[in-house]
Amino acid sequence: MLSISVKEFLFWKKKQLSKGGDDQSFAVLLDFIGGIPTSHLNALILNPEGRIYLKENLDYLGSIWEDHLLNSTPIQYLCGFTFWRDLELNVTDKVLIPRPETELVIDIVFKIFGKESKKLFFAELGTGSGAISIALALAYPLWKGIATDIDQDALDLAARNYLNSTQQSNLKFYCGHWWQPFESFKGKLDLAISNPPYIPKDIYEKLPKEVKNFEPKIALLGGEDGLMHIREIIKDAPLFLKEKGWLILENHFDQGEKVKQLFIKNSFTLVEIVKDFSGIGRFTIGRYK
Ligand SMILES: C[S@@+](CC[C@H](N)C(=O)[O-])C[C@H]1O[C@@H](n2cnc3c(N)ncnc32)[C@H](O)[C@@H]1O
């Protein structure tokens, strides 16, 4: 650990932020590489005469910040970590950085199932870093979960994140195309969740470079109209869900109505578009019959 005065640290911090970037990304750098959580920092600021202990020196932290600003590399990839709900997850450029707006999916599950202690069986399709499945497996220790991804590197990371988050063993990972690894679980699921790639091709081409140049294309692009994967997931969901099992999908900001119609066409009832905190119809949910 390196020790410097709080005054010197605050001066350096101000200088770094004056070069660009946002407070939230800087907080990720300070926490994961510097070893200073935001809560700790806030307490230190109240005592500018004190000292601060860092895991890495200021030059090293500054060089990572510079890389972030110069090349638009997401700070989470540079640090190898991100926060998501109350989880700390490893991330590499093999997985999408789980987004704050996706966090709401866990609250949707809480709303549907409450804090049930009943044993239920859930699946996540396209787990990436594992964020959604791990949060559910932790919130419901009696539930059993299975999660897929087409990318084995992503799955290895998700499995590592799960091991780092808990000693439970209620979540398993399978590699393959959407429902294909779940052949033996037909008609057995109480709940299926997916945040699939849903960006339409023309929008994908114009994504900001910090997304397009760094995050996996396979995690973002949803074909010509963005609905290619969503269509396939909804079409086959009735084979795998129990009667009255729930399907929850995240979609692009303007896809809610179309996704709702796909649910209805495939025999789902109680179909609803759920808005995120910005008032965007971000999720579509429904019950199979
Ligand atoms: C938008 S990301 C979501 C990742 C994570 N669930 C989250 O919310 O942060 C979509 C994920 O679907 C995976 N994926 C893409 N095509 C797939 C396919 N055909 N079958 C299974 N998974 C796929 C990608 O590798 C990626 O991890």
Side-chain angles (χ1 to χ4, degrees), residues 234-235 238 241 243-245 260-271 286-289:
I234 298 176
K235 178 174 74 60
L241 289 170
E243 284 252 335
K244 305 218 183 300
K260 184 176 173 182
Q261 292 313 317
L262 288 168
F263 268 69
I264 293 168
K265 196 173 138 199
N266 286 276
S267 309
F268 281 83
T269 58
L270 303 179
V271 182
R287 199 171 200 189
Y288 178 54
K289 290 195 197 158

Side-chain angles (χ1 to χ4, degrees), residues 80-281:
F81 274 100
T82 194
F83 297 111
W84 196 80
R85 290 187 71 98
D86 51 358
L87 298 172
E88 279 184 19
L89 300 167
N90 265 131
V91 286
T92 68
D93 59 5
K94 297 290 175 195
V95 299
L96 186 95
I97 299 162
R99 303 293 201 263
E101 56 268 28
T102 303
E103 294 185 359
L104 189 61
V105 81
I106 305 299
D107 297 302
I108 295 174
V109 175
F110 289 162
K111 202 164 165 208
I112 295 174
F113 294 95
K115 288 279 177 188
E116 276 190 53
S117 52
K118 220 169 106 186
K119 291 182 182 175
L120 294 183
F121 189 30
F122 77 91
E124 188 200 358
L125 290 86
T127 194
S129 62
I132 296 173
S133 291
I134 295 170
L136 283 182
L138 263 60
Y140 293 100
L142 290 180
W143 288 16
K144 286 211 181 318
I146 49 178
T148 57
D149 206 284
I150 193 83
D151 187 300
Q152 185 62 52
D153 289 333
L155 271 186
D156 290 345
L157 187 81
R160 207 163 60 236
N161 277 329
Y162 178 56
L163 276 177
N164 290 342
S165 309
T166 180
Q167 301 207 324
Q168 288 170 208
S169 55
N170 58 340
L171 180 61
K172 290 203 164 68
F173 298 93
Y174 298 82
C175 192
H177 177 79
W178 300 130
W179 299 100
Q180 171 261 318
F182 295 160
E183 265 309 292
S184 56
F185 303 116
K186 276 188 170 158
K188 294 194 176 148
L189 294 170
D190 297 286
L191 165 68
I193 298 188
S194 186
N195 171 18
Y198 53 65
I199 311 280
K201 190 162 176 285
D202 56 337
I203 296 184
Y204 176 81
E205 297 304 336
K206 293 181 220 137
L207 283 175
K209 63 175 180 236
E210 60 269 27
V211 179
K212 189 160 179 250
N213 292 357
F214 296 94
E215 301 205 70
K217 188 175 183 180
I218 199 171
L220 294 162
L221 184 61
E224 212 49 55
D225 66 351
L227 293 168
M228 181 175 89
H229 297 297
I230 287 183
R231 263 189 220 100
E232 181 171 349
I233 291 170
I234 298 176
K235 178 174 74 60
D236 291 337
L239 294 172
F240 295 86
L241 289 170
K242 283 182 187 164
E243 284 252 335
K244 305 218 183 300
W246 286 88
L247 177 63
I248 302 178
L249 294 185
E250 182 171 324
N251 48 251
H252 206 216
F253 70 93
D254 57 354
Q255 291 169 338
E257 205 41 59
K258 283 186 185 151
V259 178
K260 184 176 173 182
Q261 292 313 317
L262 288 168
F263 268 69
I264 293 168
K265 196 173 138 199
N266 286 276
S267 309
F268 281 83
T269 58
L270 303 179
V271 182
E272 201 187 316
I273 298 169
V274 182
K275 290 185 178 158
D276 65 15
F277 296 119
S278 327
I280 288 167

